[in-house]
Amino acid sequence: QVQLVESGGGSVQAGGSLRLSCAASGYRYISTNMGWFRQAPGKEREGVAAIDTGAGSTDYADTVKGRFTISQDNAKNTVYLQMVSLKPEDTAVYYCAADLGGYGGRWYDIGGSRYYFAYWGQGTQVTVSS
């Protein structure tokens, strides 16, 4: 059973930094796509970053480009989202997503590329105060 567990959320002041982690388990590791989404109250879920763990290629939403960095640690089956220069508008629940060959998922546009995601984590809250 595939599980994605996020951690690292919290509260910071504007201009601060946070690093989110997403640990994946319950599958035989294969090259896959993983990503980070966020959803603020009253807004739609937004894809902010994605990575092809096989090729190492990444994509970012324009709203976070230059401030957020997605990376991977294949040995730990973990994907990270390093966030710097945080703004109050970055406040949201952040979700990890993965392909991992799952069924019943859908395609998302992130940074001009399309990614398929079928599995989701439970979310971690990020709050940025001004």
Side-chain angles (χ1 to χ4, degrees):
Q1 181 177 348
V2 173
Q3 276 193 313
L4 303 176
V5 179
E6 301 103 331
S7 60
S11 298
V12 296
Q13 290 191 326
S17 302
L18 283 173
R19 189 178 79 157
L20 306 182
S21 300
C22 173
S25 63
Y27 68 99
R28 186 175 179 179
Y29 181 76
I30 56 175
S31 296
T32 190
N33 296 325
M34 296 191 73
W36 288 95
F37 289 70
R38 66 186 182 186
Q39 188 166 21
K43 294 189 177 181
E44 292 187 356
R45 188 171 294 191
E46 173 192 20
V48 297
I51 185 168
D52 178 329
T53 62
S57 56
T58 58
D59 285 288
Y60 298 92
D62 288 341
T63 51
V64 306
K65 197 173 293 183
R67 300 187 299 120
F68 290 11
T69 303
I70 188 170
S71 61
Q72 64 191 58
D73 184 334
N74 291 344
K76 296 181 179 180
N77 289 346
T78 298
V79 171
Y80 304 97
L81 186 68
Q82 178 68 51
M83 306 182 293
V84 302
S85 301
L86 283 162
K87 306 175 181 179
E89 51 263 44
D90 294 319
T91 295
V93 178
Y94 284 71
Y95 298 90
C96 176
D99 177 347
L100 296 174
Y103 296 100
R106 53 163 288 193
W107 292 87
Y108 297 85
D109 289 314
I110 299 178
S113 298
R114 288 178 61 79
Y115 291 86
Y116 173 84
F117 296 112
Y119 296 101
W120 295 87
Q122 81 288 352
T124 185
Q125 177 70 45
V126 172
T127 303
V128 185
S129 58
S130 57

